[in-house]
Amino acid sequence: HTGDYCCDNQDQWHDLYAECAPCQRPILNCVGNHDTFAGPQWVKMPKAEAWKRLFTHTENWDASFLDCPDSMSYYRDFPDSNLRLIVLDQYFDLELQQKWLWERLQDAQQKGYWVMTAMHEPTAEIVDSPDVTFRTLTAFSPLRETAFEPVLREFIRQGGHFICNFCGHEHH
């Protein structure tokens, strides 16, 4: 789940993990911009407020979190598939995550793993848009490079196997 677990903001949050029947497979969360604000004025809240809404039910995720308070960045390996999923937080601890991401990528390369990342906001424009009816008609402003783009670019340049980046954000 690539973010915006909260509807418009943290005031419109429901603990679906507690309110719904448990899933047979875990739903792995990623923090989105709507998850970081509260109130109709969209006041940015402390990181702990987003964490306690999205990351208090991680016991069956089999994930390894970045070692910092209220971490919303983690990875999960799928060794039978030689695959590593790295989930990144675009709103807090960016510099700390860049170093951590590089170390996770180097470790994945040493293990022969292919890597997928997930973050909330897109990192690039779609250059070959499929001719489908469910694409948006909304014209968006150009995307900015994320804090993680240089790290991922260097990983690929050094021969790392990168599959894709999953993102959300465009919910319309």
Side-chain angles (χ1 to χ4, degrees):
H1 180 263
T2 53
D4 290 347
Y5 185 91
C6 298
C7 187
D8 180 63
N9 62 67
Q10 291 180 357
D11 297 347
Q12 297 175 3
W13 167 78
H14 297 278
D15 188 353
L16 297 176
Y17 288 95
E19 295 172 17
C20 299
C23 296
Q24 290 185 3
R25 292 192 176 108
I27 296 175
L28 308 173
N29 266 338
C30 175
V31 64
N33 59 321
H34 289 254
D35 306 322
T36 64
F37 293 94
Q41 308 307 320
W42 263 48
V43 175
K44 184 145 186 192
M45 300 302 288
K47 181 172 88 165
E49 292 300 313
W51 181 88
K52 76 179 181 183
R53 285 168 174 79
L54 278 69
F55 292 92
T56 56
H57 302 285
T58 61
E59 55 279 344
N60 67 341
W61 288 14
D62 195 25
S64 299
F65 283 80
L66 167 66
D67 187 18
C68 72
D70 305 317
S71 178
M72 295 185 280
S73 304
Y74 59 93
Y75 73 96
R76 178 176 171 172
D77 287 340
F78 300 86
D80 293 343
S81 301
N82 291 334
L83 183 65
R84 173 169 287 173
L85 170 66
I86 302 174
V87 178
L88 299 163
D89 168 4
Q90 291 176 292
Y91 308 102
F92 302 96
D93 304 315
L94 297 178
E95 287 183 30
L96 181 61
Q97 283 181 88
Q98 287 172 317
K99 180 180 184 300
W100 176 83
L101 172 60
W102 180 250
E103 291 167 355
R104 302 295 70 76
L105 291 170
Q106 293 300 294
D107 181 62
Q109 190 169 17
Q110 291 171 0
K111 292 179 176 174
Y113 284 7
W114 288 75
V115 175
M116 298 182 301
T117 54
M119 59 186 80
H120 182 60
E121 296 183 38
T123 60
E125 308 289 340
I126 296 174
V127 294
D128 186 14
S129 183
D131 185 21
V132 295
T133 58
F134 54 85
R135 280 288 297 155
T136 181
L137 296 175
T138 307
F140 293 99
S141 58
L143 298 171
R144 67 189 188 288
E145 185 173 271
T146 71
F148 310 117
E149 203 69 24
V151 179
L152 295 172
R153 189 169 34 246
E154 183 61 19
F155 174 66
I156 294 167
R157 191 189 71 69
Q158 290 188 12
H161 300 297
F162 187 73
I163 298 171
C164 66
N165 178 55
F166 293 104
C167 63
H169 196 54
E170 297 182 5
H171 45 84
H172 46 83

